[in-house]
Amino acid sequence: MTRRAASTRMAGLWAAMMFALSLMIMQPAAGQEAAAEGEAEQPAARVVVLDTAGSWRVHPVLAPPILDGEDGLQPVPYGPSWISERTAEPGEGWQKVDFDDGGWLRAPARVVNDTPFLARLSLRGTFMVNDPGQVEDLLLQLAYCGGVRVTLNGHEIGRQHLPAGAITPQTLAEEYPLEAFVTAKGELNTYRGRGAEDQRVRTLEVRISNDLLLKGRNVLGIDIVRSPYHRVHHEKKAQGRGRGEVLVLHWGTCDIRRVQLSAGSAEGVTGGGVRPTGFQVWNSDAMVMDFDADFGNPAEPLRPIRLAGARRGRYSGKVVVGSDTPIKGLRAEVSSFVAADAAGSSAAIAAAAARIRYSLPWGSQTVVRPYRGHYPPYPVQVEALDALVDEPPAEVPVREKSAWGDYQAEADDPKPVSGAVAGVWLTVTVPPDAKAGLYRGKVSIRAEGVEEVVVPVELEVLDWSLPDPQDYHTWVEMIQSPDTLAVTYGLEMWSEEHWRMIEQSFRLLASSGSRVLHVPLIAQTNLGNAESMIRWKPRSDGTYEVDFSIVERYLDVATKHMGQPKLVCFWVWDIYMIEKKENARSDHLWLKEAIEARKGFVGKGPLVTMVDAESGELKIEHLAPLAAPVSKGQWKPVMDRLHEIMDARGLRQAMTLGMLNDVRPSKEDVSMFHELSPGTPWISHAHHSVGLDRLLYGVAAARYEANVWSLKFASDPEKPMHGWNNDVLRVEYDRSRGLNSTPPVAWHYMTESNIVGGQRGVGRLGADFWPAIEDRRGALRGYVWSRYLQSSWRNLDIHSHMLAAGPEGPVGTARLEAFNEGVQHSEARIRIEKALIDAEERALLGEEFAVKLEAFLAERVRQMYRGQADFQMNNPHNAVNWRSGAATAGPAWFATSGWQQSSAELYRLAGEVERRLVKKQ
């Protein structure tokens, strides 16, 4: 298929993928129907200035819940320090117009979903007033849980359910009656839908005097403070797994349900409650996902894109563009970067070091806790702007959005205005010779029919240099899928166009330091490969001529574009080759349909690509079973030739065999390959450890494993486990089917959480393993491995994909950028920790500085755990889980935590470590 034909087919597939990968979560309970039109004369429609689903600046404060007990009001104790400490307050003077809220989260008001750990929620809503005297009947309507204080431009205009005076960390809102927590039967009320709001949601209505309005920017400040929980929770504890009785708190007493600021007419006022008309550009945090329903607040200033990093690293920032009409001819250009401080006036970084990409809808992110009845922050279903393409579409279309299932808007809620939305991403690779200091540049954004928008850029280069990605100590394994590319784009396997896309995938993986290459020598494995990468052609004497050209090219393409692989796994065994007719044990890996499919493979050998000797036609056929006497003779020339191929490329030490999973080949099978390739170890992807410190069946070693369990994480931030320093190659495999929907912060800390724990990094991540198989309705829901049930590993199958299907081939994602920056941070951390655990280097650093380093690294662990935490107490055996995947409160807090300053300090300290060691040696 030609590239043009593939692109044509892709255009249709793109739309189908977007539909198939849309965010799907449990919907909130239905609300009451709005009054029918025409029942009575309707008053004139009010103009919405600010609204719940509009653009706000949000700052959450997290702390353990407060519970009324025998000793009075006391915080609920819960384990480690990172969950027991109160996070930072919003800052002095945050209600005033001139307060810099650029470090706060920009999001709809309901972004911090219902959590008992939310102690205080501060929101800033900005709007413009052209003439205070013309504004008519400004009215605030608010629904909330807890207590509230409202200000306009720093002046208090309303307070309810709160004591008088300043709000401090000790301030609590008025308590709720017992009925707010229990049902009529006296049981804890776990329901979160609108029917449960009678006793929980409080309301406030304020008519605002024009005397408080300012010409220009105005700021509405909303400060919500929690109420304590009723003592009935002491009586209604739940049994926790391994924890005895634990408290279960089902709803948050600090929450916002609805907010709307409206005016009697549009005269004199411009708000950010609904999508405005015309073209917009607004700032967005690199660790916050954007969505196709987003819009900016016209009253907010456009701030610089700020980047901070080390030499040889790559760092991303972004703005988002939107319009109520299609955006045509979108184009952005980046300037060079000129030193602005001590780096010297002659220092500069060329524009060629930067790359502009555009984020488009692809996939999803969890925006409310699944199955919890939460109110979504958006009134419509949203798709994440996750796919990063080099060339924007000729037209960014207006995407009409559907309401959330049975979600019902309030009668006076503004109707959502659909829009065209895209992100403009700037990624800078800091040159190895760049001088440390602050650099300034700009991104110029143009579109048809609009004025050019110039976005300032500030790039801080720290005085430390990262190693080359292929020299990273942090272990990363991303698995490339040739079959997914072929199926998605309708390509002939191993055609030149197919190879072009494989190259593109490997190029995209290079910056992560991915280092494991999978080469299936057998067909229809759990990788979803229809063919084997070697082709067998029968000879008249019963032997085979084996073609290795695909294997050799695959090795060469990967090495050229991804870098020298550290491990090359040749798949010679998979689960369909198991010799048992029935499963001999009860194991949750086994799936009924897969067991049935495997019955047809008992007594047969591995599947391979066979070439018909006369016609040249390719067929998938069985070789002899590995246990058969002829099998060794069939496989010996294969292994001998592989040794030659790997030797010629300097990769013999990287050669491994696969694939061990929860089910393993027999001792006889392992022994045969050990005899044919002495010393070649195996790889395992499984739930539990295969045992890297012992021989498999006492015959062959396992060199590397990616595990779901058998993992260790540093529960105490003060006591890192230095998993990066392990002798064995054990990494985490996150098998979650919802992994792609986790927020950027989870990807950002994926490697650091492991190297601080007991693992070397992460593995068994899919690269381009996105869904490519259509279901009966034509939606793309199936993965290429789902074609071969006999090779199903059930909940060990690969569901993650770090890349996205672009119109012209695979492209990167926002998640991949967050992941890559996290790997770079892991490298900086490793450099510091190496010096701390080495007695001689620690002495050179000096104990005072070493203690300072340890305190900083411990705080990063607290930030890492909080940023991913569930912050729920609705589950008796897992009240708080920093690896929950569906967390919303933790990521919302993380965006306000100063993560970029922490990253810059990490690099600065790594540089200081190296300078001290060099100076004193």
Short mmCIF file of all heavy atoms in Angstrom, two decimals, residues 21-57:
data_model
loop_
_atom_site.label_atom_id
_atom_site.label_comp_id
_atom_site.label_asym_id
_atom_site.label_seq_id
_atom_site.Cartn_x
_atom_site.Cartn_y
_atom_site.Cartn_z
N LEU A 21 -11.56 5.29 22.06
CA LEU A 21 -10.71 5.52 23.21
C LEU A 21 -11.22 6.64 24.10
O LEU A 21 -10.51 7.13 24.95
CB LEU A 21 -9.29 5.83 22.74
CG LEU A 21 -8.59 4.68 22.03
CD1 LEU A 21 -7.24 5.16 21.50
CD2 LEU A 21 -8.39 3.50 22.95
N SER A 22 -12.48 7.08 23.88
CA SER A 22 -13.04 8.16 24.69
C SER A 22 -13.12 7.73 26.15
O SER A 22 -13.23 6.56 26.47
CB SER A 22 -14.46 8.51 24.20
OG SER A 22 -14.40 9.05 22.91
N LEU A 23 -13.08 8.71 27.02
CA LEU A 23 -13.15 8.43 28.44
C LEU A 23 -14.47 7.80 28.82
O LEU A 23 -15.52 8.33 28.52
CB LEU A 23 -12.97 9.75 29.20
CG LEU A 23 -12.99 9.69 30.72
CD1 LEU A 23 -11.85 8.82 31.21
CD2 LEU A 23 -12.90 11.07 31.30
N MET A 24 -14.38 6.59 29.49
CA MET A 24 -15.59 5.90 29.89
C MET A 24 -15.49 5.57 31.37
O MET A 24 -14.67 4.77 31.78
CB MET A 24 -15.77 4.62 29.08
CG MET A 24 -16.06 4.91 27.61
SD MET A 24 -16.50 3.43 26.68
CE MET A 24 -16.86 4.14 25.09
N ILE A 25 -16.30 6.22 32.17
CA ILE A 25 -16.31 5.98 33.59
C ILE A 25 -17.76 5.94 34.06
O ILE A 25 -18.67 6.33 33.35
CB ILE A 25 -15.54 7.08 34.35
CG1 ILE A 25 -16.18 8.44 34.05
CG2 ILE A 25 -14.09 7.12 33.98
CD1 ILE A 25 -15.55 9.57 34.81
N MET A 26 -17.96 5.47 35.29
CA MET A 26 -19.30 5.43 35.85
C MET A 26 -19.84 6.85 35.98
O MET A 26 -19.15 7.75 36.42
CB MET A 26 -19.25 4.77 37.24
CG MET A 26 -20.61 4.63 37.89
SD MET A 26 -21.73 3.54 36.98
CE MET A 26 -21.00 1.97 37.30
N GLN A 27 -21.08 7.04 35.60
CA GLN A 27 -21.66 8.37 35.55
C GLN A 27 -22.33 8.72 36.87
O GLN A 27 -22.75 7.85 37.62
CB GLN A 27 -22.70 8.46 34.42
CG GLN A 27 -22.20 7.93 33.10
CD GLN A 27 -20.96 8.66 32.65
OE1 GLN A 27 -20.74 9.79 33.04
NE2 GLN A 27 -20.13 8.03 31.85
N PRO A 28 -22.44 10.02 37.17
CA PRO A 28 -23.13 10.43 38.39
C PRO A 28 -24.63 10.19 38.28
O PRO A 28 -25.17 10.02 37.19
CB PRO A 28 -22.83 11.93 38.47
CG PRO A 28 -22.56 12.34 37.05
CD PRO A 28 -21.91 11.14 36.41
N ALA A 29 -25.29 10.18 39.43
CA ALA A 29 -26.73 9.95 39.44
C ALA A 29 -27.46 11.10 38.76
O ALA A 29 -27.01 12.24 38.74
CB ALA A 29 -27.21 9.82 40.88
N ALA A 30 -28.60 10.79 38.23
CA ALA A 30 -29.35 11.81 37.49
C ALA A 30 -29.88 12.88 38.43
O ALA A 30 -30.23 12.64 39.58
CB ALA A 30 -30.52 11.15 36.76
N GLY A 31 -29.97 14.10 37.93
CA GLY A 31 -30.52 15.20 38.70
C GLY A 31 -31.99 15.39 38.36
O GLY A 31 -32.61 14.61 37.64
N GLN A 32 -32.54 16.44 38.88
CA GLN A 32 -33.95 16.72 38.62
C GLN A 32 -34.11 17.38 37.27
O GLN A 32 -33.27 18.13 36.81
CB GLN A 32 -34.48 17.64 39.72
CG GLN A 32 -34.31 17.07 41.12
CD GLN A 32 -35.07 15.78 41.29
OE1 GLN A 32 -36.20 15.67 40.83
NE2 GLN A 32 -34.45 14.80 41.93
N GLU A 33 -35.17 17.09 36.60
CA GLU A 33 -35.45 17.69 35.29
C GLU A 33 -35.72 19.19 35.46
O GLU A 33 -36.34 19.63 36.42
CB GLU A 33 -36.68 17.03 34.65
CG GLU A 33 -36.48 15.56 34.32
CD GLU A 33 -35.49 15.38 33.18
OE1 GLU A 33 -35.28 16.35 32.43
OE2 GLU A 33 -34.93 14.29 33.06
N ALA A 34 -35.20 19.98 34.54
CA ALA A 34 -35.48 21.42 34.55
C ALA A 34 -36.96 21.65 34.22
O ALA A 34 -37.61 20.83 33.58
CB ALA A 34 -34.59 22.14 33.53
N ALA A 35 -37.46 22.75 34.67
CA ALA A 35 -38.86 23.07 34.39
C ALA A 35 -39.09 23.15 32.89
O ALA A 35 -38.26 23.63 32.14
CB ALA A 35 -39.22 24.40 35.06
N ALA A 36 -40.21 22.63 32.46
CA ALA A 36 -40.52 22.61 31.02
C ALA A 36 -40.72 24.03 30.52
O ALA A 36 -41.26 24.89 31.22
CB ALA A 36 -41.78 21.78 30.76
N GLU A 37 -40.24 24.24 29.30
CA GLU A 37 -40.40 25.56 28.70
C GLU A 37 -41.88 25.85 28.43
O GLU A 37 -42.66 24.95 28.10
CB GLU A 37 -39.63 25.64 27.40
CG GLU A 37 -38.12 25.53 27.59
CD GLU A 37 -37.38 25.70 26.29
OE1 GLU A 37 -38.03 26.02 25.28
OE2 GLU A 37 -36.15 25.50 26.29
N GLY A 38 -42.23 27.07 28.59
CA GLY A 38 -43.59 27.47 28.23
C GLY A 38 -44.58 27.32 29.35
O GLY A 38 -45.74 27.69 29.19
N GLU A 39 -44.19 26.75 30.56
CA GLU A 39 -45.14 26.58 31.64
C GLU A 39 -45.54 27.95 32.21
O GLU A 39 -46.63 28.13 32.70
CB GLU A 39 -44.54 25.70 32.73
CG GLU A 39 -44.38 24.25 32.30
CD GLU A 39 -43.84 23.39 33.41
OE1 GLU A 39 -43.61 23.93 34.52
OE2 GLU A 39 -43.67 22.19 33.21
N ALA A 40 -44.57 28.85 32.21
CA ALA A 40 -44.86 30.19 32.71
C ALA A 40 -43.95 31.17 31.99
O ALA A 40 -42.97 30.78 31.37
CB ALA A 40 -44.61 30.26 34.23
N GLU A 41 -44.25 32.41 32.07
CA GLU A 41 -43.43 33.41 31.42
C GLU A 41 -42.05 33.41 32.06
O GLU A 41 -41.90 33.49 33.27
CB GLU A 41 -44.07 34.79 31.56
CG GLU A 41 -43.30 35.88 30.83
CD GLU A 41 -43.99 37.22 30.93
OE1 GLU A 41 -45.15 37.24 31.39
OE2 GLU A 41 -43.36 38.23 30.60
N GLN A 42 -41.01 33.27 31.22
CA GLN A 42 -39.65 33.18 31.73
C GLN A 42 -39.05 34.57 31.85
O GLN A 42 -39.22 35.42 30.97
CB GLN A 42 -38.80 32.31 30.78
CG GLN A 42 -39.31 30.88 30.63
CD GLN A 42 -39.24 30.13 31.94
OE1 GLN A 42 -38.24 30.16 32.64
NE2 GLN A 42 -40.33 29.46 32.28
N PRO A 43 -38.29 34.80 32.94
CA PRO A 43 -37.61 36.10 33.07
C PRO A 43 -36.50 36.20 32.04
O PRO A 43 -36.07 35.21 31.46
CB PRO A 43 -37.04 36.05 34.49
CG PRO A 43 -36.90 34.58 34.79
CD PRO A 43 -38.04 33.92 34.08
N ALA A 44 -36.02 37.40 31.82
CA ALA A 44 -34.94 37.60 30.87
C ALA A 44 -33.71 36.82 31.31
O ALA A 44 -33.39 36.76 32.51
CB ALA A 44 -34.61 39.09 30.77
N ALA A 45 -33.05 36.22 30.36
CA ALA A 45 -31.89 35.39 30.66
C ALA A 45 -30.77 36.24 31.24
O ALA A 45 -30.48 37.35 30.76
CB ALA A 45 -31.42 34.69 29.39
N ARG A 46 -30.14 35.73 32.28
CA ARG A 46 -29.00 36.40 32.88
C ARG A 46 -27.73 36.05 32.12
O ARG A 46 -27.65 35.02 31.45
CB ARG A 46 -28.87 36.01 34.35
CG ARG A 46 -30.08 36.44 35.20
CD ARG A 46 -29.87 36.10 36.66
NE ARG A 46 -28.69 36.77 37.24
CZ ARG A 46 -28.68 38.02 37.67
NH1 ARG A 46 -29.79 38.76 37.59
NH2 ARG A 46 -27.59 38.55 38.18
N VAL A 47 -26.74 36.88 32.23
CA VAL A 47 -25.46 36.67 31.55
C VAL A 47 -24.49 36.03 32.53
O VAL A 47 -24.26 36.55 33.63
CB VAL A 47 -24.89 38.01 31.04
CG1 VAL A 47 -23.49 37.80 30.46
CG2 VAL A 47 -25.81 38.60 29.99
N VAL A 48 -23.96 34.89 32.15
CA VAL A 48 -23.04 34.16 33.02
C VAL A 48 -21.66 34.81 32.94
O VAL A 48 -21.08 34.95 31.87
CB VAL A 48 -22.96 32.68 32.62
CG1 VAL A 48 -21.90 31.96 33.44
CG2 VAL A 48 -24.32 32.02 32.80
N VAL A 49 -21.13 35.17 34.09
CA VAL A 49 -19.80 35.77 34.18
C VAL A 49 -18.77 34.71 34.57
O VAL A 49 -17.72 34.59 33.96
CB VAL A 49 -19.79 36.94 35.19
CG1 VAL A 49 -18.39 37.56 35.29
CG2 VAL A 49 -20.83 37.99 34.81
N LEU A 50 -19.07 33.95 35.61
CA LEU A 50 -18.24 32.81 36.03
C LEU A 50 -19.15 31.62 36.27
O LEU A 50 -20.30 31.79 36.73
CB LEU A 50 -17.45 33.15 37.30
CG LEU A 50 -16.41 34.26 37.20
CD1 LEU A 50 -15.87 34.61 38.59
CD2 LEU A 50 -15.27 33.85 36.27
N ASP A 51 -18.65 30.42 36.00
CA ASP A 51 -19.49 29.24 36.16
C ASP A 51 -18.65 28.06 36.62
O ASP A 51 -17.43 28.03 36.44
CB ASP A 51 -20.18 28.90 34.84
CG ASP A 51 -21.20 27.78 34.99
OD1 ASP A 51 -22.25 28.04 35.60
OD2 ASP A 51 -20.92 26.67 34.54
N THR A 52 -19.33 27.07 37.18
CA THR A 52 -18.66 25.88 37.71
C THR A 52 -17.72 25.25 36.70
O THR A 52 -16.59 24.86 37.03
CB THR A 52 -19.71 24.82 38.13
OG1 THR A 52 -20.78 25.46 38.82
CG2 THR A 52 -19.09 23.76 39.01
N ALA A 53 -18.16 25.13 35.47
CA ALA A 53 -17.37 24.48 34.43
C ALA A 53 -16.45 25.44 33.69
O ALA A 53 -15.85 25.07 32.69
CB ALA A 53 -18.29 23.78 33.43
N GLY A 54 -16.34 26.66 34.19
CA GLY A 54 -15.48 27.64 33.54
C GLY A 54 -14.01 27.48 33.91
O GLY A 54 -13.58 26.44 34.41
N SER A 55 -13.26 28.54 33.68
CA SER A 55 -11.82 28.52 33.91
C SER A 55 -11.50 29.20 35.23
O SER A 55 -11.67 30.41 35.37
CB SER A 55 -11.10 29.22 32.75
OG SER A 55 -9.71 29.19 32.91
N TRP A 56 -11.01 28.42 36.21
CA TRP A 56 -10.68 28.90 37.54
C TRP A 56 -9.21 28.61 37.84
O TRP A 56 -8.59 27.76 37.22
CB TRP A 56 -11.54 28.21 38.61
CG TRP A 56 -12.99 28.50 38.52
CD1 TRP A 56 -13.89 27.93 37.67
CD2 TRP A 56 -13.73 29.44 39.29
NE1 TRP A 56 -15.15 28.44 37.87
CE2 TRP A 56 -15.08 29.38 38.86
CE3 TRP A 56 -13.39 30.33 40.31
CZ2 TRP A 56 -16.07 30.17 39.43
CZ3 TRP A 56 -14.38 31.12 40.88
CH2 TRP A 56 -15.70 31.04 40.44
N ARG A 57 -8.69 29.31 38.83
CA ARG A 57 -7.42 28.95 39.43
C ARG A 57 -7.73 28.34 40.80
O ARG A 57 -8.44 28.93 41.61
CB ARG A 57 -6.51 30.18 39.58
CG ARG A 57 -5.98 30.68 38.25
CD ARG A 57 -4.91 29.75 37.69
NE ARG A 57 -4.46 30.18 36.36
CZ ARG A 57 -3.40 29.66 35.74
NH1 ARG A 57 -2.71 28.70 36.33
NH2 ARG A 57 -3.07 30.08 34.54
#
